[in-house]
Amino acid sequence: MTLIILLLGLGVGVLVGLLGIGGGVVLVPAMVYLLGMDQHMAQGTSLLILLPPIGILALREYWKQGQVDLRAGVLCALGMLLGAYGGSLVALPLASRNLKGMFGCFLVLCAILLWRKAQPESKPMAAHGESARG
Amino acid sequence: MERAPVAKGIGRDAGIFVVACVCGVASGMFGIGGGVLLVPLLALLYCFSQHRAQGTSLVALIPPTGVLALLAYAREGFVSWKTGLLLIPGILLGGIAGARLAKKLQPQRMRQVFSGILLALGAWQALSAWWQ
C-alpha cells in the first residue's frame, strides 16, 4: 500500500511539472479509486499535499527559461487563498455523493477548457472572442 | 467587450485577481490546486503562451494558498495525514522530471492527451456518483 502511494506521488509529480498544475485534479480521483477514500477525505488530503511548495523544483525549470510572470503569479496566489476558503465552506456541508458528482462535472469542464486552448493559435483574435463567451 | 490581451495596469491586475478568486473557489470546493483552471484561463483571457501560463501557475501554487481551506477540512476530520505526507516526496521529484520533459514535448499534443484523460475521468466519476 505504501509503495502504491509513493509511486502515485511520482506519477502525479510528472504531471505537475509537465502541465504546470497543482496535481490535485489527478490526486483526488486517484485517492478515491486507488486508495478507496471518501470524497471529502480525498479532497482534504489533497489540500494537505498542496500545502508545501511541491511545484518549486518544476518552477525553477520554468524560471530558467524566463517563462514566468511573477506579478500575475502573486496576484493569483492572493486571489486563490481567499477563494479557496470560500470554496471549502461550500463543499463541506454537501453530501459526499453529490460532491463526487460535482467533482466529475468540474473535471469535464476543465477538460473542455484545456482542449480549447489546445487548438492551434493561428487566429488568436477569433479564438479569443469565441472563448470569452464559452 | 474589452480586449483582455491589451488590457494593462490596474485593470489587468484586477482582472487576474478576480480570475484567481474563481480558481480559488474551485480549489477549496474540490480540494485541488486550482492550476488546472488557472492555466487555461490565463491563456484564454490574457493570451499567455502555454509555457508562460504554466510557469505563472506554478508561482501561484508556491505559497500555501489552500491553507484556510485545509483548516476547514481538518476541523471536520476530512484529512488523511499519513497518505498525504507519503505522497509529497514523489510529487516533488516527479515535478522536476515533468518540467524537463515539458521542454522537449509538443505542448499541443501533451494538453490534448491530458484533457482526454480528464474528460474520461470526470465522466466516470460523475456517473459513478449519480448513476446507481
Side-chain angles (χ1 to χ4, degrees):
Chain A
M1 192 62 158
T2 307
L3 188 68
I4 296 180
I5 297 179
L6 287 173
L7 285 178
L8 175 63
L10 208 57
V12 171
V14 172
L15 283 177
V16 169
L18 204 53
L19 298 160
I21 59 173
V25 76
V26 194
L27 271 172
V28 172
M31 285 190 286
V32 167
Y33 288 112
L34 293 179
L35 309 178
M37 270 189 195
D38 165 78
Q39 181 74 22
H40 278 101
M41 184 72 110
Q43 295 190 180
T45 306
S46 166
L47 283 171
L48 166 67
I49 295 162
L50 299 172
L51 209 51
I54 47 171
I56 198 160
L57 298 176
L59 174 63
R60 218 189 70 191
E61 302 288 323
Y62 282 87
W63 186 265
K64 279 193 231 160
Q65 303 231 317
Q67 299 283 12
V68 174
D69 186 332
L70 198 60
R71 186 187 177 85
V74 170
L75 280 167
C76 287
L78 224 77
M80 282 164 66
L81 178 73
L82 298 175
Y85 184 61
S88 68
L89 295 184
V90 174
L92 285 169
L94 291 176
S96 204
R97 181 159 170 249
N98 287 338
L99 189 59
K100 191 177 176 190
M102 284 167 73
F103 187 90
C105 295
F106 176 71
L107 285 192
V108 171
L109 174 77
C110 289
I112 293 168
L113 276 177
L114 276 175
W115 184 271
R116 263 171 176 283
K117 192 166 46 72
Q119 302 302 314
E121 288 161 15
S122 51
K123 286 181 288 180
M125 285 328 250
H128 178 75
E130 180 195 328
S131 66
R133 276 266 37 98
Chain B
M1 192 199 334
E2 65 149 345
R3 282 278 167 232
V6 295
K8 286 254 155 56
I10 197 101
R12 177 180 186 269
D13 288 352
I16 289 180
F17 182 74
V18 170
V19 167
C21 282
V22 172
C23 295
V25 171
S27 161
M29 221 174 136
F30 299 119
I32 58 169
V36 74
L37 204 54
L38 190 59
V39 171
L41 287 180
L42 281 180
L44 283 171
L45 300 177
Y46 289 94
C47 288
F48 277 48
S49 80
Q50 177 61 19
H51 279 102
R52 196 169 178 79
Q54 297 190 176
T56 304
S57 158
L58 284 171
V59 173
L61 297 173
I62 291 301
T65 51
V67 69
L68 298 176
L70 173 67
L71 290 177
Y73 276 85
R75 266 203 304 272
E76 310 276 331
F78 286 133
V79 179
S80 168
W81 300 92
K82 181 170 168 253
T83 310
L85 294 178
L86 279 172
L87 278 166
I88 290 172
I91 297 180
L92 202 59
L93 292 176
I96 318 177
R100 297 246 160 100
L101 206 59
K103 285 188 276 190
K104 302 208 175 80
L105 290 181
Q106 232 193 327
Q108 212 89 319
R109 178 56 46 81
M110 191 166 95
R111 239 169 21 234
Q112 284 179 340
V113 170
F114 183 64
S115 69
I117 296 172
L118 273 190
L119 189 72
L121 208 61
W124 181 27
Q125 180 138 15
L127 283 179
S128 75
W130 285 326
W131 202 274
Q132 28 184 307

